[in-house]
Amino acid sequence: MTTLIPTVKELQAYRASLKGSVALVPTMGALHEGHLSLVREARSRADSVIVSNFVNPLQFGPGEDYERYPRTLEDDLALVDDFADAMFAPEVRDMYPYPEPFKVDVGPLGRVLEGEIRPGHFSGVATVVLKLFLLAQPHIAVFGQKDAQQLAIIRRLVHDFNLGIEIVGVPIVREETGLARSSRNSYLTAKGREDALALSVLLSKTVECPTAPELLRLLRNKENSSSVTWDYRLAVNPATFEEIDDAYVGEALVLLAARVEGVRLIDNASVNLVPSGIKETA
Ligand code: PAF
């Protein structure tokens, strides 16, 4: 049975009552199978599991979907009932009592890619995650690998502020079609869901590109499509998030972002690139 914790004060009292290890799963609610895989992972690693459920206004830019972001608290509670001990679902004014809250400056890693397209987004994410960490004081925190840049920024947050929290990244959960699970998929029509497969289909083609030049050719070769507007299709060094060049060898992260029916979708996959001329045999 999951206990609903609606205020910061009650979370602090609840946390003080816990013994043993604590895992936190930060979410914005509208939970689906992808979130459940994070909660299950948390359950397998700690004595107590707290899920936070808070649509964080600081990470939405003007004109983004803050107001219409799905809020489904009752369903969310039911979904995690067998796995989470508590769900922290505070009001905005409880998390941010002042109109202009102090924020975390995330530096260059927060200004490229998603951060360039969504200015201030990662500062908002890092600020709320830092607050959640300070309130829930977890030993472990679990995040999805779908938001790869977010995961890298949270690892840096923990490192740079010496928070001593183990950050666990859980692989992307996909629908049978290959579409990565996302709360924003609920905005798509049936046709939109089909068009959105362009992302996972492109990722599946990266296995045919064992070298950096082949991979970069695939990513640059955009076919014209009226239904999918690409924001980026890039391969980066997973440690620095700098774009790779033709000479790159080793693990690369392919990052995709696109708009389908006006809905922003992201997806990614890791690939291991060998030197040009030496192709791995199956
Ligand atoms: O990934 C999300 O759902 C959010 O960015 C997070 C980490 C819960 C912070 O609001």
Side-chain angles (χ1 to χ4, degrees):
M1 176 87 185
T2 306
T3 305
L4 179 63
I5 303 181
T7 67
V8 163
K9 261 209 166 114
E10 282 163 281
L11 177 62
Q12 285 169 317
Y14 178 79
R15 177 62 185 94
S17 74
L18 295 179
K19 297 197 172 39
S21 57
V22 174
L24 174 70
V25 184
T27 81
M28 297 205 300
L31 303 184
H32 50 68
E33 273 302 314
H35 295 106
L36 203 52
S37 73
L38 310 184
V39 181
R40 283 206 189 95
E41 185 66 34
R43 181 78 280 162
S44 71
R45 286 171 178 260
D47 299 315
S48 302
V49 174
I50 302 173
V51 175
S52 67
N53 185 332
F54 178 64
V55 184
N56 172 36
L58 294 195
Q59 68 189 76
F60 289 79
E64 289 188 356
D65 56 346
Y66 173 66
E67 267 83 23
R68 76 168 177 138
Y69 198 85
R71 286 155 173 92
T72 56
L73 184 58
E74 288 306 311
D75 292 348
D76 295 347
L77 271 168
L79 191 68
V80 301
D81 202 41
D82 288 340
F83 306 100
D85 300 292
M87 181 174 280
F88 174 52
E91 298 284 330
V92 172
R93 61 177 180 276
D94 197 15
M95 286 293 274
Y96 303 121
Y98 294 100
E100 298 224 20
F102 281 15
K103 292 185 195 157
V104 177
D105 180 346
V106 286
L109 189 51
R111 290 195 286 269
V112 294
L113 300 163
E114 283 303 285
E116 190 176 356
I117 290 167
R118 306 181 66 190
H121 171 68
F122 286 121
S123 170
V125 170
T127 302
V128 80
V129 169
L130 180 60
K131 274 191 79 106
L132 292 168
F133 284 171
L134 295 173
L135 292 169
Q137 297 178 24
H139 300 89
I140 296 165
V142 185
F143 295 85
Q145 288 175 0
K146 186 162 85 66
D147 296 292
Q149 195 178 358
Q150 167 173 286
L151 184 57
I153 286 169
I154 287 163
R155 288 191 198 283
R156 268 294 296 271
L157 178 80
V158 168
H159 177 266
D160 285 16
F161 288 127
N162 306 97
L163 299 177
I165 297 167
E166 184 189 345
I167 300 299
V168 177
V170 172
I172 297 174
V173 175
R174 296 180 181 281
E175 296 183 0
E176 264 175 35
T177 56
L179 181 65
R181 297 253 182 199
S182 162
S183 304
R184 290 192 168 100
N185 291 349
S186 67
Y187 301 147
L188 295 169
T189 64
K191 159 129 187 1
R193 292 176 91 89
E194 233 167 76
D195 294 336
L197 294 182
L199 284 84
S200 52
V201 167
L202 180 59
L203 288 177
S204 68
K205 287 186 186 155
T206 61
V207 291
E208 294 156 25
C209 303
T211 67
E214 285 165 294
L215 179 64
L216 293 176
R217 211 171 309 127
L218 172 78
L219 295 175
R220 285 172 192 150
N221 185 13
K222 275 192 225 165
E223 58 297 334
N224 282 333
S225 153
S226 55
S227 44
V228 179
T229 310
W230 294 99
D231 279 345
Y232 55 76
R233 317 166 23 138
L234 297 171
V236 300
N237 175 330
T240 60
F241 276 71
E242 278 165 14
E243 279 186 61
I244 66 163
D245 60 18
D246 279 347
Y248 189 86
V249 172
E251 195 199 339
L253 193 57
V254 178
L255 299 172
L256 307 180
R259 281 164 217 270
V260 174
E261 297 180 330
V263 180
R264 188 115 197 307
L265 301 171
I266 56 172
D267 204 346
N268 70 75
S270 266
V271 289
N272 198 28
L273 298 173
V274 298
S276 295
I278 311 172
K279 293 192 183 170
E280 271 178 341
T281 46

